[in-house]
Each structure stands twice: as C-alpha cells, then as structure tokens.
Amino acid sequence: MKTSTLLSSALIKQEIRDACKDLVLPDDQLRLLMQKFIDEVNKGLAKATHDDAIVKCFTTYVQDLPDGTEKGNFLALDLGGTNFRVLLITLDGQNFDMKSKIYAIPQSLMLGTGTQLFDHIAQCLALFVKDLKLQNEVLPLGFTFSFPLSQHGLTEGYLVRWTKGFNCSGVIGEDVVALLEEAINRRNDVKIDVCAILNDTIGTLMSCAWKNQNCRIGLIVGTGSNACYVEKTKNAQCAIPGNFSEKKPHMLINTEWGAFGERGVLDFIITEFDRAIDENSINPTKQLFEKMISGMYMGELTRLVLEKLVNAGLLFGGKCPGDLRKRGKFFTKYVSEIENDPKGRYTNCREILAELGLRNVSDQDCENVRYVCSIVSRRAAHLVSAGIAALLNKMGEDNVTVGIDGSVYRFHPHFHDLMTAKISELQPYKFDLMLSEDGSGRGAALVAAVASQRR
Ligand code: GLC
C-alpha cells in the first residue's frame, strides 16, 4: 500500500473513532448508571414511590423456587418475543420433555385489537391441544406474557403498557388472564386451567433454578431487555396482603428495567443515534434503556451510525446503497454475523453488504463496518452488565447464578465474554452466567406446577 493511502486510512480510522466516541462508556459512567439504577429500583419497590417510579419492580407472587420434584403435564403459552409459542411440557423429577409449536404473529395482529390477539392465541392453543388429542383433559397452563404487568396474584395481572413491537387496543389496564380465559370460553372447545401468568425473565430464572439452585437473577437480552431477581419478602412492599405468604422468605421481583432512562435519567449517555431510534419508534420517550440494548433496535442503531459515516465520506467512498438508507434494513442478526467473521476475514460482512446492494468493498471498509458493529454491541453488553452488577451489589451474596435467555445473548459471539469481564470489574461478588435451555417454556410449566400443587 502507498504511504499516502496508509496515512489516509489511519486518518479515516481516527475520524470514525471520533464519530463513535459517545457510544463508548467508560467505567465511571457505568458506575454512575449503577447508582441511578439502584435508586430507581428502590423507588419501584417502596409503596410510597411505586406509582410514580420508572423502574416499576413489580411483585410477581412467585415465592417458591423449583426443587426438582415437580411433576405432571403442563401447557405453556409464550407471547412477547419474535414468535408466539404453545408448548406441552412433561416434568418428572430431573426429566423433562417438551413438544412445542411456533406460530407467527403478523404485524397486523400486534397492532390490531386485543380481542383479535387473544382470539388468535386461543385458536392456536386449541389447535395444538386437539392435535395432541388432549382436548378432554383439564390441563394446567402457565402463560408467559412478556410485558409489564401490575400483578395482584399469580393469576391476575393488569397490563401497564405495551412494549417492543406490540400496541393492541383495549388491553392496557385489563387483566390479561381474564382476557385469555374469555377468548378460550368464546371457543368452548378445550378445557384449560390458567394457573399462573409470568414474565419471561421469571420463566428464565425458574428454568435455570430447576438445574442450578444458585440461580437468583433472570435476564433477557432478546427482542427486549429486562431482569428479575430474588428479593426478601419483607422488601416487596407493594405485594397485596393476603395474596402471598409473609412466612416465605423470598419474592421474585420483575424490575422491568427496559423503562430505565425515562424522564432524563440517562441523558448523560444518550446519543444522537438513540434519540433518532426513539423518535421513530411506536413508543417515543419510553423504554430508553431497552432501546440502547435489545435486538429490536440494535441493527437499526448500527445502521444509523453507518449512515452517518457514509455521509461524512468515511465509508464506501461516501457512496451509499439505497437499502442502507432505509429504516429497518440492517437486521440485528447482521451484527452477530459480521462480528463472527474471523479476524482479518470478511466473508459474512461482504455477503451482508452485497445483500444491501454494495459490492467490491475494500477490506478497510469491512474492518470499519465491523468496528461499528462491535461498538454498538459492546455498549449493549456493558449496559446490561452495569444493571446486573447493580443487582448483585444489592443482593450482596457470593455465587449468584444469572440465568439468561434471548437472541442477542444467545447468538452474539462475544456478548457472554464481554458481560463476564465487565460485571467482574464493576462489583466484587463471585457470579456465573448461565444460558437458559428454553427459559420460557420450562419456566412457565414450573410456575404452573407449584401453583397447581398448592391448589
Ligand atoms: C420488554 C417487556 C418485558 C420483557 C422484556 C424481554 O422489556 O416489557 O416484560 O421481559 O421485553 O422480553
């Protein structure tokens, strides 16, 4: 390479670094974030401040962790990620079997009426049950519903807001269990006993706890992001007296940390890219922490940075294919795929750029694209790590296992290692990160199992 080309590529690299610098979070900023997060968690937990709190820390009424003796056949529904699933789970000691079916939820349903959504869910459930010839049995069901719910008990949960891509009318403020039961009754062709409604973080925690008694935190880094943890029952101040046991030592708390950052709390780290994402979302000013982390937004964040670099003449010689200028065209899975290329090779990167209409891209451009992906995914991993470190500090115990599920954590090649390193830096306790095997399905069955035994 000529000296002048080398010099200009070094200059370009520096300018790209400068353009991305707000996306790099030093430890002092992460520590400040941890402090602010814990303040918000405490506001969510306390009765006097809960109603006005941003990080709601909802009481889940799940107080028993599984002990491995759970038995029986359970149905589970899982709504809230990219797909909707119906599952039949058989638990027997440490054996576990699962049959499941995935159904698409078209965007028209995600943005339609609540009645349409619940009729669709009930229809899928009925088809599944009839396929397995179980329509004459009364089956206990656990409903993983991964949205913020204000729960009054294990089978009563009022939707507080929609998040991620959903916005169905007539559901906010309603009891989602009642809506499901009404839809099942409208059909009148299967017998179901809804035993529990739970968040996907709870399902993940339960599923991991079934295998590993140290699991005390459940985390999702998928379409959305959220965490739950084991709190002392006496600190669950918003739990409704009579609907839980004061004698049991623990209560699982669903933090709903995705909402963190609303009302300016995270303005010290919010970038121009985050603002653009927020403004173009279906829920502007809401779920800001989630928008900086999760799979629903990571691809688009990357695209916005790439577009800025092209406009500044720092990428692809300033020329941009039409698709890279279109919202939503750079998928989150591209980030994982590009970062999965071995060092110095750009096979996935070139394939993806070709899909977007860019051919004959130089190695240097590929390297720069990879750099942008890594900056966006690293920030996400560091933000999640700060949240987990803050919870570990709050719990103050060694050897807590964090059960984790979600497409970003599962498929990104470095997310796990980035988190392990950063959490270790930010707090003093020993911990483990454990990938959940089918968190939502088995977890829902475990919550239903405990609940149906109690009945
Ligand atoms: C969103 C939902 C939350 C869920 C998370 C992960 O943040 O509000 O309930 O746990 O996504 O799916």
Side-chain angles (χ1 to χ4, degrees):
M1 223 186 271
K2 280 195 276 171
T3 330
S4 62
T5 332
L6 272 179
L7 193 66
S8 73
S9 85
L11 267 178
I12 286 183
K13 218 166 156 182
Q14 191 50 50
E15 284 188 45
I16 290 178
R17 265 153 228 256
D18 287 348
C20 295
K21 70 173 187 322
D22 291 351
L23 292 162
V24 178
L25 297 175
D27 281 358
D28 57 339
Q29 289 199 342
L30 291 174
R31 287 184 202 279
L32 181 59
L33 180 142
M34 285 166 66
Q35 239 174 48
K36 289 180 187 264
F37 176 64
I38 284 305
D39 288 350
E40 300 284 333
V41 164
N42 289 332
K43 278 187 205 155
L45 283 175
K47 208 168 184 165
T49 44
H50 173 83
D51 285 349
D52 198 42
I54 294 167
V55 178
K56 284 292 185 195
C57 288
F58 291 114
T59 307
T60 65
Y61 297 88
V62 176
Q63 295 191 273
D64 303 287
L65 293 176
D67 60 12
T69 62
E70 295 75 13
K71 269 198 173 71
N73 276 327
F74 302 90
L75 284 168
L77 295 179
D78 178 11
L79 180 78
T82 336
N83 293 308
F84 165 61
R85 293 190 311 160
V86 186
L87 309 100
L88 177 74
I89 292 134
T90 310
L91 295 172
D92 183 9
Q94 279 294 302
N95 297 319
F96 140 89
D97 183 54
M98 187 173 94
K99 293 191 179 65
S100 74
K101 211 159 168 183
I102 296 184
Y103 300 85
I105 297 266
Q107 233 205 345
S108 55
L109 267 184
M110 290 164 74
L111 303 173
T113 69
T115 314
Q116 284 164 341
L117 177 70
F118 283 94
D119 280 344
H120 179 72
I121 294 175
Q123 184 186 21
C124 297
L125 175 64
L127 289 175
F128 180 83
V129 167
K130 286 185 206 164
D131 247 12
L132 295 174
K133 308 214 170 4
L134 293 170
Q135 65 271 29
N136 297 322
E137 274 182 47
V138 182
L139 287 167
L141 177 142
F143 185 12
T144 307
F145 183 79
S146 308
F147 300 95
L149 282 184
S150 169
Q151 279 185 242
H152 290 185
L154 258 189
T155 53
E156 193 179 347
Y158 299 84
L159 180 65
V160 174
R161 66 161 65 148
W162 286 111
T163 54
K164 300 172 278 192
F166 284 75
N167 197 10
C168 302
S169 58
V171 188
I172 292 176
E174 299 294 321
D175 174 10
V176 176
V177 175
L179 295 182
L180 174 66
E181 286 173 339
E182 283 158 22
I184 294 172
N185 292 340
R186 274 197 289 279
R187 304 182 55 86
N188 199 22
D189 55 354
V190 284
K191 300 176 186 136
I192 309 286
D193 177 19
V194 184
C195 290
I197 187 159
L198 58 142
N199 190 256
D200 51 356
T201 55
I202 302 288
T204 300
L205 190 156
M206 295 292 281
S207 176
C208 289
W210 185 67
K211 282 226 156 148
N212 176 336
Q213 298 289 316
N214 288 337
C215 189
R216 295 272 181 283
I217 294 181
L219 168 67
I220 302 284
V221 197
T223 309
S225 180
N226 186 16
C228 72
Y229 72 101
V230 177
E231 183 53 279
K232 295 186 187 74
T233 301
K234 67 172 177 17
N235 293 339
Q237 287 182 23
C238 297
I240 297 176
N243 294 2
F244 69 103
S245 156
E246 295 188 40
K247 291 201 196 93
K248 291 189 178 166
H250 300 133
M251 174 71 84
L252 265 52
I253 297 291
N254 169 16
T255 66
E256 284 292 331
W257 79 13
F260 184 35
E262 292 170 20
R263 289 187 227 143
V265 188
L266 286 179
D267 279 4
F268 69 108
I269 55 167
I270 297 254
T271 66
E272 58 186 291
F273 312 110
D274 301 308
R275 290 194 202 288
I277 291 274
D278 183 47
E279 278 162 20
N280 290 313
S281 66
I282 61 169
N283 53 351
T285 74
K286 303 279 194 301
Q287 302 290 118
L288 298 183
F289 192 54
E290 175 159 272
K291 286 174 182 161
M292 301 168 89
I293 294 169
S294 74
M296 178 145 180
Y297 312 96
M298 188 183 282
E300 179 62 5
L301 264 175
T302 310
R303 190 193 68 81
L304 289 169
V305 182
L306 292 174
E307 196 180 22
K308 177 176 168 169
L309 298 182
V310 176
N311 290 345
L314 297 170
L315 254 189
F316 315 135
K319 285 195 286 292
C320 188
D323 271 4
L324 197 59
R325 296 220 181 263
K326 289 192 198 131
R327 215 180 289 151
K329 283 283 180 183
F330 195 94
F331 306 134
T332 295
K333 65 171 186 195
Y334 291 170
V335 175
S336 293
E337 287 166 6
I338 289 173
E339 287 192 67
N340 223 345
D341 273 331
K343 201 171 160 27
R345 309 226 9 218
Y346 305 102
T347 322
N348 293 344
C349 185
R350 285 211 164 83
E351 227 169 74
I352 289 162
L353 292 175
E355 267 173 49
L356 294 166
L358 263 170
R359 278 161 222 286
N360 305 322
V361 184
S362 70
D363 276 6
Q364 192 55 56
D365 272 339
C366 287
E367 184 58 39
N368 292 338
V369 169
R370 194 222 298 257
Y371 173 74
V372 172
C373 292
S374 74
I375 284 290
V376 172
S377 61
R378 267 181 98 85
R379 184 183 69 153
H382 288 169
L383 290 169
V384 170
S385 301
I388 294 297
L391 290 178
L392 288 171
N393 268 341
K394 179 173 171 59
M395 294 164 86
E397 280 173 56
D398 257 324
N399 301 322
V400 167
T401 294
V402 184
I404 315 182
D405 207 345
S407 48
V408 172
Y409 178 82
R410 205 175 267 279
F411 300 123
H412 187 278
H414 312 306
F415 219 83
H416 172 91
D417 292 348
L418 286 166
M419 282 184 64
T420 306
K422 191 51 81 177
I423 298 171
S424 309
E425 259 174 71
L426 292 174
Q427 59 79 48
Y429 298 100
K430 289 204 200 98
F431 65 94
D432 271 306
L433 304 181
M434 169 179 177
L435 176 67
S436 133
E437 265 176 65
D438 196 74
S440 323
R442 191 167 65 199
L446 287 165
V447 178
V450 174
S452 65
Q453 268 163 26
R454 198 178 312 142
R455 285 185 188 180

